[in-house]
Amino acid sequence: MDPNPPPYKPQALAKVKELASDTVHADPAFHCKPLGVPRAGPPRQIVQTPKLTLILYQIDAGDGDQPGSYRLVPTDGRPHRTDVDPSYFGDSVGHWEGDTLVIDVTHFNDDTWLAAIPGQGGSGYFHTDALHVVERLTRVGDTLRWEATVEDPNVLSKPWKITPRTEVLTEGMIYEQPICEERETEHIVNKY
């Protein structure tokens, strides 16, 4: 049972349960699709310039096996682009509030899930293309605190604050991973 489930509208709960009952076939990550925001969670590395922040992910096997995921976050005050197609990671713009990088993300496609937390539930947490996410990244010593607030007025009854995560920062480098290959799903017979 998820201790902090998204507040789905009653009419959307049936779809959540349906998707959760067959995650092997329904979960986009099982079909090599990017995890997207907010499911990818906190970044592994951040590269910052005066006007742009690069967010790099290292999502290991068992978490969707998503090599090479990254996001570019302009921090020069520009607004969201209007000429962008919806995507897995959306369109990000950021600004600083003291020591916290605040990232506003819009223009999502609807082909990811909000979360799927091993051992804590989250399967079937779908969204629509009306998704809007605000992330907050704060470095405290050798840790990075990641928080996200999710809005989707089509399926959520109110904004959902994802349980914050704190990651210990390491000197490790991101390394190349093999690409995801969708070849096993047809052989998986058990559901969870």
Side-chain angles (χ1 to χ4, degrees):
M1 192 76 171
D2 187 345
N4 180 22
Y8 278 97
K9 293 179 178 180
Q11 61 270 27
L13 284 175
K15 183 173 179 179
V16 170
K17 290 177 184 176
E18 177 186 331
L19 293 170
S21 71
D22 191 13
T23 56
V24 169
H25 295 102
D27 187 339
F30 274 100
H31 302 281
C32 296
K33 295 187 178 165
L35 297 181
V37 174
R39 189 174 182 182
R44 174 69 181 267
Q45 287 185 338
I46 298 173
V47 178
Q48 182 182 344
T49 71
K51 295 182 178 184
L52 184 71
T53 299
L54 171 64
I55 295 178
L56 302 167
Y57 294 95
Q58 178 89 43
I59 302 169
D60 298 320
D63 294 327
D65 214 9
Q66 302 285 320
S69 294
Y70 68 92
R71 293 164 54 201
L72 296 174
V73 181
T75 53
D76 58 0
R78 72 180 77 173
H80 283 286
R81 298 181 343 192
T82 57
D83 64 341
V84 64
D85 290 328
S87 66
Y88 298 100
F89 284 93
D91 180 59
S92 299
V93 293
H95 68 274
W96 289 93
E97 292 179 3
D99 292 338
T100 299
L101 175 60
V102 179
I103 306 171
D104 189 270
V105 194
T106 61
H107 293 90
F108 289 99
N109 63 30
D110 62 358
D111 209 13
T112 64
W113 283 0
L114 297 177
I117 305 163
Q120 294 184 13
S123 297
Y125 288 168
F126 76 102
H127 64 84
T128 71
D129 59 4
L131 180 65
H132 174 227
V133 178
V134 176
E135 298 172 285
R136 301 177 68 80
L137 297 160
T138 308
R139 182 174 182 163
V140 179
D142 290 336
T143 64
L144 180 70
R145 181 177 172 87
W146 175 82
E147 303 174 59
T149 301
V150 175
E151 297 176 295
D152 186 339
N154 293 342
V155 294
L156 299 179
S157 62
K158 63 181 182 180
W160 175 47
K161 287 192 173 201
I162 296 175
T163 303
R165 290 173 52 185
T166 299
E167 301 288 329
V168 175
L169 300 172
T170 65
E171 295 294 325
M173 297 293 289
I174 290 180
Y175 55 91
E176 183 178 2
Q177 292 177 290
I179 61 169
C180 179
E181 292 183 28
E182 184 183 351
R183 59 180 174 207
E184 300 299 330
T185 53
E186 66 186 61
H187 303 291
I188 298 173
V189 293
N190 61 339
K191 298 177 186 178
Y192 62 90

